[in-house]
Amino acid sequence: MMSARPHQAPLGHRGARRATVPVMLGVAVAVVFLTMVPASVQAAPLAAPGLDAPTTVTAMQWNPHWQCWGNEACASNAATQLTELLKATDFANVIELENAKYAPRPGWVGLGAYESCGGAPYGDWDTLFYNSAKWKVVSNETGCVYAERSFTLGVFESIANPALTIVAVGAHYPQTLNASTGAYTAATATLAAAIKAHTVNLTNPRVILMADTNTEGPVAAAASPAHNGVNKTNGELLHDLGQWPTPAVNPPSAPLFNGCCGGETPPFAWEGDRIVANFGSYPATTVLFEPVPDWAVFPNSEFHKGVILSLKL
């Protein structure tokens, strides 16, 4: 959500908790982008010791937003879609998954406590799912990246190739447009410190960030004066976290897209949802919920489109 308004909501809305209804639906039609990364910025391919060793890593970022879980149709369909979408991922970061009863599909595990930042009734949620058939947790942490904004980080080792370690970082940044608040700087410093603490014993750690950054891209901001403020490219975001050497060079990442938010005027005008990595090559990106499904359109909806990024190792 890019507009400057309080994160909190009336308890009658925010406090609504709904169990999911098992309705089987297909995944929404998606738009696919293929981006070639120059060889000079590609990480060297990993030497896989066996046929079962992973050759790609696939990550997802999605923020259905808290209003979805107070709307019966949105809550039911979002839970069903999430369960289906997990099949295609190694790691998936879901923000404001405000359904304490949600259980992922067998084999997928979620990290990040319910209301992990701020506590009831307005605690923030950042849930990081991983495929436990392919990855095991080495270390993990969940906390506040900023007041009432959460993050979950995990260091994962490939089961098929223990030499392969991935640092998956999910985060919900605060509203960052107004530089005078210092919110972007503070959140970035907190997240950078957490990454550093968990990678101190790793050489050239492979880091992938899945986040609702609430941070507009510079090109989009230039086209809309109301979007001017703290505007960051993917290279600048990852550089600010200490995980990319040259901010002017685009890292392996999902191209910026208009993913936020439904219910605003105009809808889906912001580029805050990002997946950015410091490793891999030939990134392939799928934008989810394009077009936006009917069940996500309702009064006060702040629904975000999702995105999936696959990287060749």
Side-chain angles (χ1 to χ4, degrees):
M1 180 177 63
M2 300 299 300
S3 56
R5 55 176 171 270
H7 180 64
Q8 293 91 342
L11 182 59
H13 294 282
R14 187 77 185 200
R17 306 287 183 244
R18 301 183 184 273
T20 61
V21 179
V23 180
M24 297 304 296
L25 297 174
V27 176
V29 176
V31 178
V32 177
F33 302 93
L34 295 177
T35 304
M36 300 299 289
V37 179
S40 61
V41 300
Q42 293 178 8
L46 297 172
L51 294 177
D52 294 331
T55 58
T56 61
V57 169
T58 300
M60 182 179 81
Q61 162 62 28
W62 182 28
N63 181 1
H65 227 265
W66 61 264
Q67 293 93 334
C68 181
W69 307 104
N71 178 280
E72 186 172 359
C74 191
S76 172
N77 284 283
T80 300
Q81 291 286 339
L82 175 57
T83 300
E84 291 299 307
L85 287 165
L86 286 176
K87 289 192 295 187
T89 69
D90 292 280
F91 307 104
N93 188 58
V94 183
I95 292 169
E96 298 190 357
L97 175 56
E98 302 198 6
N99 182 348
K101 295 182 180 179
Y102 176 78
R105 65 184 312 107
W108 273 256
V109 177
L111 300 176
Y114 189 58
E115 295 182 328
S116 53
C117 176
Y122 301 130
D124 195 45
W125 293 254
D126 189 290
T127 308
L128 180 64
F129 293 98
Y130 68 97
N131 184 340
S132 64
K134 297 173 64 176
W135 304 93
K136 69 176 182 179
V137 180
V138 177
S139 67
N140 65 284
E141 180 179 351
T142 296
C144 296
V145 72
Y146 192 75
E148 297 185 346
R149 295 300 171 107
S150 56
F151 78 94
T152 298
L153 177 156
V155 178
F156 298 90
E157 181 181 287
S158 167
I159 293 173
N161 177 11
L164 172 60
T165 300
I166 301 292
V167 183
V169 183
H172 188 196
Y173 280 59
Q175 301 296 332
T176 63
L177 199 62
N178 185 348
S180 67
T181 67
Y184 175 83
T185 301
T188 298
T190 297
L191 197 56
I195 295 171
K196 184 175 181 180
H198 285 268
T199 59
V200 65
N201 294 321
L202 298 177
T203 302
N204 298 322
R206 299 175 181 87
V207 177
I208 186 164
L209 172 71
M210 299 155 281
D212 175 0
T213 67
N214 275 309
T215 305
E216 183 66 289
V219 174
S224 177
H227 293 204
N228 289 328
V230 178
N231 308 127
K232 296 287 183 176
T233 65
N234 285 336
E236 290 167 340
L237 276 168
L238 205 57
H239 175 77
D240 291 347
L241 290 172
Q243 299 301 321
W244 190 247
T246 310
V249 175
N250 194 47
S253 56
L256 299 183
F257 69 101
N258 293 332
C260 169
C261 308
E264 295 195 352
T265 304
F268 302 106
W270 300 87
E271 299 178 336
D273 292 276
R274 319 273 188 110
I275 305 180
V276 190
N278 68 357
F279 67 94
S281 59
Y282 304 102
T285 303
T286 303
V287 175
L288 305 170
F289 309 110
E290 182 67 68
V292 176
D294 290 343
W295 50 262
V297 180
F298 56 90
N300 300 317
S301 173
E302 291 284 345
F303 185 87
H304 291 217
K305 300 174 186 178
V307 62
I308 289 178
L309 174 68
S310 292
L311 292 169
K312 182 179 179 181
L313 293 170

